[in-house]
Amino acid sequence: MIRVSLTRMLYRMPISASTSPRRLSALFSGLVSTHTRRTNSSATPKIEVTCSLHAHSLGHDVATLTINNPLKLNILTEMVVTSLIDHCRALSTSPTLRAVVLTGGPVAAGGADIREMHALSSPAEARSFITHLHSACQALRDLPVPVIARIHGLCLGAGLEVAASCDLRIATKVSRFAMPEVAIGIPSVIEAALLPGLIGFGQTRRLLMLGEIIAAEEAEKWGLVEQMVEDEEHLDHNISDWVVRLVSNGSQAMRSQKRLIRSWEECGVNEGVQKGVEAFGETFENGGLEPREKMAAFLGRKRM
């Protein structure tokens, strides 16, 4: 299949600065033309983000959001972005939600739709387009529970910004990462601003200015992903372990911790410390039911 050959082509490209903008641009052009050829010969599958919600245990739900745009390697079209926003906003209202896993099937996310960007004709249209994509990243960040990015395959451009908007990232060994926007004449923007906090300004400049394709092993060393695993079997196993840990923690404590970490991204140390003091105090509202229950279980455990 064409999709497989394109994926293999990217895997075989040198993981270094020698990966020129011209080669990256050619790759993206290939994705667009592939979509055109295939849709002429077969029925177009439904393009959407699906959401499945299952009860991990009584009163503890875990959601899986799946980006589904197979003909275009999960490129984030306007339809996909709108669907992602809608699902995130709906999930945010669930009091029993404990964790969210974001995945993309055989490909993580292939970036924004170049056809849609090519059609932009004014600064106002461009601002509207990129603000809509930012809204999807913001919707992920605004989810009140931890979000895990399950990465297997390509994670490019806007797709990497979506992954950066998640709380935790785990990837298979074959995954590849790139921010090649400058190769097609635009800067990396919106949630690319999160990257310095993850990998530092030096590696951010390298990723955004050189347009390198980064292997999963390198991404783990940089801190772009929290963990790299061998294959999809290990990927799902480790995500399951993470979900168990998240669900077993105090549900209100987890929501409070996520809010705190978000606030730490945008404030100084002294302000962050004070926000932590306030959050700790709020934990003991209503008699401190959750911490007292968790602490009682800890104090009552059998000692070895």
Side-chain angles (χ1 to χ4, degrees), residues 97-283:
L97 187 67
R98 298 293 177 261
V100 175
V101 178
L102 177 68
T103 186
V107 176
D113 193 327
I114 294 180
R115 283 187 175 275
E116 292 179 1
M117 289 190 288
H118 185 262
L120 299 175
S121 60
S122 71
E125 287 184 3
R127 292 188 187 100
S128 177
F129 172 87
I130 204 65
T131 298
H132 187 53
L133 185 54
H134 162 65
S135 295
C137 295
Q138 189 68 46
L140 280 168
R141 282 166 56 78
D142 287 344
L143 281 164
V145 300
V147 182
I148 301 170
R150 177 192 184 277
I151 302 169
H152 175 61
L154 312 181
C155 193
L156 309 174
L160 182 48
E161 292 172 40
V162 166
S165 301
C166 298
D167 299 289
L168 298 164
R169 288 155 292 279
I170 181 169
T172 55
K173 189 175 183 179
V174 298
S175 297
R176 296 292 183 267
F177 303 83
M179 293 292 288
E181 284 89 340
V182 291
I184 56 170
I186 57 175
S188 296
V189 294
I190 54 171
E191 271 60 29
L194 296 173
L195 294 176
L198 294 174
I199 61 177
F201 275 100
Q203 301 293 29
T204 297
R205 289 186 179 95
R206 180 177 170 182
L207 197 61
L208 273 57
M209 292 179 174
L210 298 182
E212 291 180 288
I213 297 173
I214 304 302
E217 184 176 4
E218 191 80 358
E220 184 184 37
K221 290 178 181 177
W222 286 14
L224 191 58
V225 299
E226 278 63 57
Q227 191 175 68
M228 180 196 73
V229 295
E230 189 67 27
D231 51 34
E232 280 197 276
E233 181 180 352
H234 289 88
L235 184 66
D236 291 330
H237 179 270
N238 285 28
I239 288 175
S240 179
D241 284 348
W242 285 9
V243 167
V244 168
R245 287 176 175 270
L246 294 173
V247 171
S248 66
N249 294 332
S251 60
Q252 295 308 308
M254 288 300 305
R255 290 178 177 232
S256 176
Q257 191 66 75
K258 176 161 180 173
R259 287 193 301 270
L260 266 178
I261 294 173
R262 280 288 309 278
S263 71
W264 292 343
E265 293 174 348
E266 300 172 0
C267 70
V269 173
N270 290 337
E271 185 182 354
V273 169
Q274 188 56 44
K275 286 179 179 291
V277 170
E278 294 302 319
F280 188 81
E282 290 168 2
T283 303

Side-chain angles (χ1 to χ4, degrees), residues 47-82:
I47 300 171
E48 61 183 352
V49 175
T50 60
C51 178
S52 62
L53 190 68
H54 72 274
H56 187 273
S57 54
L58 184 62
H60 302 288
D61 296 332
V62 176
T64 300
L65 293 170
T66 304
I67 298 172
N68 182 32
N69 188 6
L71 288 186
K72 298 179 72 177
L73 295 185
N74 284 340
I75 284 176
L76 301 174
T77 63
E78 181 180 7
M79 186 183 304
V80 170
V81 170
T82 298

